[in-house]
Amino acid sequence: MPITRPQEPPPDPLRARLSLLDRFLPVWILLAMAGGLLLGRLVPGLQGWLDAVQVGQISLPIAFGLLLMLYPVLAKVRYEQMGSSRGDRKLLRLSLLLVWLLGPALMFALAWLFLPDQPAYRTGLVLIGIAPCIAMVLIWIDLAQGNREGAALLVAVNSILQVLLYALLGSFYLQVLPGWFGWDRQEVAISTAEIARAVLIFLGIPLVGGFLTRWIGLRVKGRRWYEQRFLPLISPLALYGLLFTILVMFALQGQAITSELGIVVRIAMPLLCYFAIMWGVAFAVGVRQGLSYPDTATLAFTAAGNNFELAIAVSVSLFGVSSGQALAGVIGPLIEVPFLVSLVYLSLGLRRRFYGAGS
């Protein structure tokens, strides 16, 4: 009688889809955070040097990290397929409602709920809430196996709307709406040119680079070489750029973070609530509206992410580099990065529950 051996369990499809670098991303992020804090504490003059290397209010090391992070993701986008399906148009409509109506109103409410006695930090949070993410969100969507083409479309549309609406929304949520309730109002004068410059740098440069790389690569070497050899070669650069950006941010602000832990916690609470509510509502809407998993993940991360680079630049130009508004902007990505990484894993887990393991 033949001996039957127990069958080994099939490999976890979630783990099979993630490379070693992706699988232990939370570990690398924690190491980057710790490394940044140590550098900021142990290397004399490092923070001053990093602050000095900037153009206007834009830190060149952070800009370099963001460009390195975004270029591989945007080189993967199939631009020829953007907006071609009915699903993309439905995704766009839902995203616009969540990002431009629910998001700013929710952040306004949370800022006043958690920080009613701190106008500077409250203003910083409002400036974050009216700026949807146009950069790092592409990383989260890529890691969560979302719709890259749909994400590129949403980012492009949100970038244009950000230039047109940011100053208007800033005036409404900082002056008009508080006045209706008889609350304190914050006078602001936001420059549309500054917003356009930030969008051009943080999205325009990697977008043009990714588009040209794909266009030239497909015509010179063909689709098979481009997608099977070139893209796997440059893909790790996205996570290297993310880790470098985190390292620099913590090196820049480590002193402020470790010396003002109470304020950090107070600012972190409304941010955590915002990320969780926006992501959860958007994911539920995607499932309820019958979107595919890639579209649902794209909708959820687009709704949850914010353009902290723009919020920081505006806060620094309006209120100064040492202002509470600027500190709120800096704390934002330090809270967002580890939390949204956890949501990437949650998203992949919910994929199996709502869409099946083979989706």
Side-chain angles (χ1 to χ4, degrees):
M1 181 177 179
I3 299 175
T4 59
R5 297 179 180 178
Q7 293 183 348
E8 295 183 359
D12 185 348
L14 171 58
R15 293 177 63 87
R17 283 194 293 267
L18 297 176
S19 67
L20 180 66
L21 185 63
D22 295 335
R23 195 177 304 162
F24 294 100
L25 182 59
V27 176
W28 312 138
I29 286 178
L30 289 175
L31 290 175
M33 291 176 173
L37 289 174
L38 287 175
L39 284 174
R41 285 281 190 175
L42 300 179
V43 180
L46 176 64
Q47 183 171 351
W49 180 83
L50 290 174
D51 282 333
V53 186
Q54 58 184 349
V55 175
Q57 304 297 339
I58 298 174
S59 167
L60 291 184
I62 291 180
F64 170 78
L66 288 170
L67 296 179
L68 184 66
M69 178 181 71
L70 291 179
Y71 166 69
V73 178
L74 290 168
K76 296 177 184 178
V77 173
R78 297 179 180 178
Y79 295 94
E80 63 276 9
Q81 298 180 11
M82 282 178 54
S84 58
S85 70
R86 182 175 301 176
D88 284 341
R89 293 190 287 273
K90 185 176 184 180
L91 174 63
L92 178 60
R93 289 195 300 271
L94 293 173
S95 177
L96 292 177
L97 290 173
L98 291 168
V99 165
W100 292 104
L101 291 181
L102 177 61
L106 176 62
M107 187 68 87
F108 173 84
L110 291 172
W112 276 95
L113 177 65
F114 284 91
L115 298 165
D117 59 333
Q118 298 288 341
Y121 303 130
R122 190 175 64 236
T123 298
L125 288 179
V126 171
L127 291 174
I128 292 170
I130 60 177
C133 188
I134 60 171
M136 204 170 284
V137 64
L138 294 170
I139 288 289
W140 311 134
I141 291 170
D142 193 51
L143 290 173
Q145 307 290 322
N147 179 352
R148 295 191 192 103
E149 290 70 42
L153 176 63
L154 296 183
V155 164
V157 172
N158 284 333
S159 300
I160 296 171
L161 291 176
Q162 201 161 105
V163 174
L164 298 175
L165 298 179
Y166 191 84
L168 181 64
L169 288 175
S171 298
F172 178 75
Y173 281 104
L174 293 174
Q175 298 177 31
V176 178
L177 190 55
W180 290 352
F181 295 105
W183 299 341
D184 295 335
R185 297 189 297 177
Q186 177 69 64
E187 297 294 329
V188 294
I190 301 172
S191 168
T192 302
E194 184 176 358
I195 299 167
R197 181 179 62 178
V199 170
L200 177 64
I201 292 174
F202 293 121
L203 177 65
I205 293 175
L207 180 62
V208 171
F211 174 81
L212 291 178
T213 300
R214 182 173 184 86
W215 186 78
I216 295 171
L218 292 180
R219 279 155 182 77
V220 174
K221 301 291 289 187
R223 183 178 299 273
R224 182 175 181 180
W225 175 88
Y226 184 81
E227 295 188 349
Q228 296 183 12
R229 298 188 62 182
F230 179 72
L231 288 183
L233 183 67
I234 67 170
S235 288
L237 294 177
L239 294 184
Y240 297 150
L242 172 64
L243 296 175
F244 176 79
T245 303
I246 293 170
L247 182 75
V248 173
M249 286 193 300
F250 270 81
L252 278 169
Q253 301 299 331
Q255 183 70 31
I257 293 168
T258 55
S259 62
E260 299 185 62
L261 289 177
I263 292 299
V264 170
V265 172
R266 291 197 64 183
I267 296 173
M269 292 306 297
L271 286 170
L272 288 171
C273 292
Y274 177 87
F275 299 143
I277 293 171
M278 289 298 293
W279 191 92
V281 168
F283 199 97
V285 167
V287 173
R288 187 65 179 256
Q289 291 293 316
L291 297 182
S292 65
Y293 168 78
D295 283 353
T296 296
T298 299
L299 180 67
F301 285 99
T302 301
N306 292 99
N307 188 349
F308 293 100
E309 299 79 24
L310 175 58
I312 293 170
V314 171
S315 294
V316 169
S317 65
L318 291 177
F319 306 104
V321 68
S322 60
S323 65
Q325 292 88 342
L327 179 62
V330 168
I331 292 173
L334 307 184
I335 303 300
E336 181 195 46
V337 169
F339 191 71
L340 263 65
V341 168
S342 67
L343 291 180
V344 167
Y345 287 86
L346 176 61
S347 180
L348 291 169
L350 292 176
R351 176 180 191 173
R352 291 181 292 174
R353 176 176 178 179
F354 290 105
Y355 294 93
S359 62

